[in-house]
Amino acid sequence: KVKSGGGVTMLKPILRKVRSIGSGDDPDGDDHLCRSVDIGSIDRIQRGQNTLKWENYRKTSTGSLQLDPNQSFSIVFRGERTLDLMVESQKDRDELLNVLDDVIEAYHASKVRAGNDVLLMRYIWLDVDKDKSNTIDMDELGRVLNRINFHMTKPQLEKDYKKFAKVLGLDKKNQRRGLTFDQCVTFLHKLKRDTWQVKPINQIWSDLFGEDKTVSARVFLQKFLHDTQGEIDATYDYVKNLFKELNRLEIANVASESVDPQRNIDKHRFEEYLLSKSNDAFDPRREKFSPDTMSEPLSNYWIN
């Protein structure tokens, strides 16, 4: 089922009759077939039979399965990997894909309200939690760190893991069981900051706003957007809306501060803003077509 608008759409249990022809090779070499496909890793959904898996199946098939493009679809995820499926009828397929489209749209709409640490863990959680315990133990946490190119020796990891578990009040049994999703996100968030020899965000914040724990919308507008960034078109109303969105972000608990959502942000949300698309050096307005800019020779344009 999936929430859509004001109600809940119930999907018939047609997945009992779905046939799969494979999900591609695992680039990590762990499994030939995928145990699950995370919603955040889906790039697109293709109707019909247009992937390499379908083509290979047609070449090698003995005819035991009659392929019908109107009943088929492929979930493309993590670049070139695919999960290729066929259901009982075109009606069932379209009903299923309409719901999946709604789920993906809802995910991407909520994605902007999650911080980078949370998005990272959402993306790799299912791959790392192989035993489906909904917790990550120290060895699994080591694999998480390797995935994000944060290399620690085993003694270093064990020391930090036990120190963090002690802060949480976990006994030895729960330490062996592992950290929950929220605890793991908080650990990564804290580890990232505690292991910086020079913390860039602290230096930037200090240079701009001194020792204050929060910055007001007016100071942010003047000192950062106008004076530092040179964004002279930015307005006070724009900053208030920006602060409202930043304060809605789902980030680790250690970054939480009690602030007026439209008038102040703390250092952690300022850091999230610096790394976000809202602070991208590229002006999205430049993507809009304007005939007035098409007067130069073709060789003067960059064609993507």
Side-chain angles (χ1 to χ4, degrees):
K1 64 182 179 180
V2 58
K3 282 190 175 181
S4 178
V8 176
T9 300
M10 297 300 296
L11 184 66
K12 294 185 297 183
I14 60 175
L15 286 180
R16 293 175 304 173
K17 302 176 182 179
V18 168
R19 298 191 182 188
S20 169
I21 64 168
S23 58
D25 296 329
D26 191 325
D28 298 325
D30 294 334
D31 301 297
H32 179 65
L33 296 179
C34 288
R35 174 168 61 86
S36 58
V37 177
D38 187 88
I39 193 73
S41 69
I42 295 177
D43 297 311
R44 65 186 184 279
I45 297 177
Q46 290 184 179
R47 288 161 171 78
Q49 300 171 349
N50 304 305
T51 67
L52 182 61
K53 280 287 180 181
W54 287 113
E55 183 178 342
N56 290 339
Y57 184 84
R58 281 192 290 267
K59 290 178 180 179
T60 60
S61 172
T62 59
S64 58
L65 177 62
Q66 297 298 317
L67 299 183
D68 185 344
N70 293 322
Q71 298 170 221
S72 308
F73 65 96
S74 300
I75 297 175
V76 183
F77 61 102
R78 296 189 183 176
E80 59 184 16
R81 301 175 67 187
T82 63
L83 175 63
D84 305 271
L85 304 166
M86 189 170 75
V87 298
E88 282 291 291
S89 68
Q90 181 175 356
K91 180 177 180 294
D92 285 343
R93 184 201 68 173
D94 292 343
E95 182 180 357
L96 173 61
L97 294 192
N98 286 338
V99 173
L100 283 176
D101 287 340
D102 287 343
V103 171
I104 294 171
E105 182 179 354
Y107 173 83
H108 286 292
S110 64
K111 184 178 177 181
V112 298
R113 297 193 292 273
N116 292 330
D117 297 322
V118 175
L119 289 176
L120 173 67
M121 282 308 303
R122 284 182 186 173
Y123 186 75
I124 64 178
W125 180 268
L126 291 175
D127 281 348
V128 177
D129 183 27
K130 295 288 187 182
D131 57 4
K132 303 182 186 180
S133 64
N134 290 322
T135 58
I136 286 182
D137 61 26
M138 190 173 66
D139 290 335
E140 291 171 327
L141 186 58
R143 289 200 289 272
V144 171
L145 296 177
N146 287 334
R147 285 281 295 271
I148 62 176
N149 296 320
F150 193 106
H151 302 293
M152 296 180 70
T153 64
K154 191 168 183 178
Q156 284 177 321
L157 175 60
E158 184 175 0
K159 179 182 177 181
D160 286 336
Y161 181 86
K162 289 183 176 180
K163 182 179 178 181
F164 183 70
K166 185 177 180 180
V167 172
L168 295 177
L170 301 180
D171 57 25
K172 289 185 178 180
K173 179 180 178 181
N174 285 318
Q175 286 184 34
R176 289 192 297 271
R177 182 179 300 166
L179 304 177
T180 65
F181 180 90
D182 289 337
Q183 291 168 346
C184 195
V185 169
T186 303
F187 178 83
L188 292 178
H189 186 88
K190 188 174 186 301
L191 185 67
K192 181 175 65 175
R193 281 155 179 75
D194 291 349
T195 52
W196 280 341
Q197 291 183 351
V198 177
K199 302 178 181 179
I201 184 58
N202 288 348
Q203 187 63 52
I204 296 170
W205 180 274
S206 178
D207 291 344
L208 287 169
F209 312 122
E211 299 302 318
D212 294 335
K213 291 186 176 181
T214 63
V215 59
S216 70
R218 290 196 182 280
V219 172
F220 179 89
L221 175 65
Q222 186 60 50
K223 285 191 173 183
F224 183 67
L225 292 184
H226 286 178
D227 297 346
T228 303
Q229 300 275 78
E231 299 179 44
I232 57 175
D233 294 333
T235 65
Y236 181 59
D237 286 337
Y238 165 77
V239 174
K240 286 200 299 182
N241 289 329
L242 174 65
F243 276 22
K244 184 177 179 180
E245 290 301 314
L246 290 173
N247 281 308
R248 290 173 60 193
L249 280 176
E250 175 192 352
I251 59 178
N253 292 335
V254 293
S256 298
E257 294 284 351
S258 177
V259 297
D260 184 327
Q262 282 192 305
R263 298 184 183 278
N264 301 88
I265 57 169
D266 59 23
K267 179 168 58 179
H268 303 286
R269 282 169 171 75
F270 176 63
E271 181 186 19
E272 290 291 339
Y273 169 72
L274 292 180
L275 300 173
S276 70
K277 289 183 179 180
S278 299
N279 190 45
D280 200 318
F282 178 74
D283 184 353
R285 291 176 295 184
R286 298 286 187 179
E287 289 185 322
K288 295 182 179 180
F289 172 70
S290 173
D292 298 335
T293 65
M294 303 301 294
S295 58
E296 300 292 327
L298 185 62
S299 59
N300 287 7
Y301 295 95
W302 172 264
I303 301 175
N304 188 359

